[in-house]
Amino acid sequence: SAMMAPILSTIDRAGYDYVNMLGGAVFDVCVRYLHENPWRRVEMLSTRLSTPTDGFLRGQSPYTFELFPDDIVELNSQVLARNGLKNVTVYDALNDNRNVEVPIASAKAAGMTVTAVTVYTVSPVHTDDYYAARIRELIALGADRVGVKDPTGLLTPERAKTLFAVVMQAAGDTLVELHSHCQSSLAPEVYSEAIKAGFHYVHTAVMPLANGASLPAVEEIVERAAELGDDTTLDMAAIAEISGYFSWLCVREGKPRGKVVAYDPSLYSHQVPGGMISNLKSTLQTMRMGDRLTEILDEVGGV
């Protein structure tokens, strides 16, 4: 949290519609590795940023992979809102939208807005009609915005051309978002297709924290939007300052900068999300099993 604080005023100048600060693993990392209070981080960022703040919640299991009772989910919404969070982005990994009913209703009751997203994957079941039905369900549950979340980076530009048109039609007047990771290296091309299709928001990261297992770089997506005739109105001088700050932090802390990765067809077998693959690699290194990553991913695909 101390590393985030010095750059917050510059992030405010960038002109983002909102800034995401929270995902399910963030609470785990704060407690397990940083010995920080994650609630205080939410409060600090939401208080010091004038840009609205957003948090990703895994439906009925917001911070771990176990399902929580309804009253805990409701309490979580109340505390997040009390600490200043303005929007929650909710999803269920298996698109079982029964698991987002309480998160959506409780977030709205607490005064937050809600983005509800359907999770993209590849199988004979996951057709355009399937995703259109999930989008309509989320709107019926009261979502203020809807979207597509592609945590592994499985979307291709060709698939996006057919899917995004159907998503936009199913959404009607509801605003639509895209969130895709760069593990296949195709996400920036997919974002171009989203812009062409009329998506209202795309999720990005500044250059040092982008690409690889992360999101596309905001710098690249702004250029792509401009080439397609869309002005994002972002302050690129502020964004350059933000990227410079995090590049310096990478050097100071000995952390890797984000970099574009080669296309990896094995993603379509193991389908390990971007939010997990870096943790898996780190865990294997700690266990002195880093050389077995490919073998383990093959096993995941088999399972």
Side-chain angles (χ1 to χ4, degrees), residues 51-285:
T51 306
T53 50
D54 168 66
F56 262 100
L57 297 177
R58 297 190 203 102
Q60 204 73 23
S61 52
Y63 302 123
T64 69
F65 292 102
E66 58 185 312
L67 295 170
F68 284 79
D70 290 353
D71 58 347
I72 298 297
V73 174
E74 291 165 353
L75 179 61
N76 182 62
S77 293
Q78 293 166 16
V79 176
L80 287 174
R82 191 162 67 234
N83 284 351
L85 200 71
K86 296 297 188 292
N87 186 79
V88 290
T89 301
V90 301
Y91 66 98
D92 180 78
L94 297 178
N95 294 322
D96 183 348
N97 286 338
R98 293 173 297 180
N99 287 328
V100 299
E101 291 177 7
V102 174
I104 291 175
S106 62
K108 292 178 74 71
M112 297 184 288
T113 54
V114 176
T115 303
V117 296
T118 184
V119 178
Y120 179 77
T121 190
V122 178
S123 85
V125 172
H126 293 84
T127 62
D128 287 352
D129 288 343
Y130 169 92
Y131 286 110
R134 301 292 81 74
I135 292 290
R136 288 192 292 268
E137 288 172 4
L138 296 172
I139 293 171
L141 289 172
D144 300 290
R145 292 180 291 272
V146 292
V148 177
K149 176 177 168 63
D150 178 21
T152 309
L154 299 174
L155 272 167
T156 65
E158 295 76 17
R159 180 72 182 93
K161 287 176 182 177
T162 61
L163 176 63
F164 290 170
V166 171
V167 167
M168 290 299 293
Q169 184 177 22
D173 295 331
T174 305
L175 298 177
V176 182
E177 307 189 4
L178 174 64
H179 177 104
S180 182
H181 289 252
C182 295
Q183 290 193 94
S184 70
S185 78
L186 296 176
E189 295 290 341
V190 170
Y191 275 44
S192 289
E193 294 303 324
I195 295 167
K196 292 177 189 175
F199 275 45
H200 304 91
Y201 300 94
V202 291
H203 296 193
T204 61
V206 291
M207 188 73 77
L209 309 178
N211 295 306
S214 182
L215 302 169
V218 63
E219 293 91 336
E220 178 177 357
I221 301 306
V222 166
E223 288 185 6
R224 287 175 175 270
E227 290 170 2
L228 294 170
D230 278 351
D231 179 11
T232 62
T233 72
L234 290 171
D235 182 337
M236 297 311 294
I239 286 174
E241 188 177 331
I242 298 164
S243 284
Y245 174 76
F246 284 109
S247 291
W248 169 73
L249 268 186
C250 288
V251 173
R252 191 187 80 179
E253 301 297 323
K255 300 295 184 183
R257 292 177 85 257
K259 60 182 180 180
V260 177
V261 295
Y263 176 75
D264 181 7
S266 70
L267 283 176
Y268 295 87
S269 171
H270 64 72
Q271 297 192 20
V272 176
M276 293 182 174
I277 194 76
S278 51
N279 289 344
L280 174 60
K281 291 176 181 176
S282 175
T283 300
L284 291 176
Q285 292 292 346

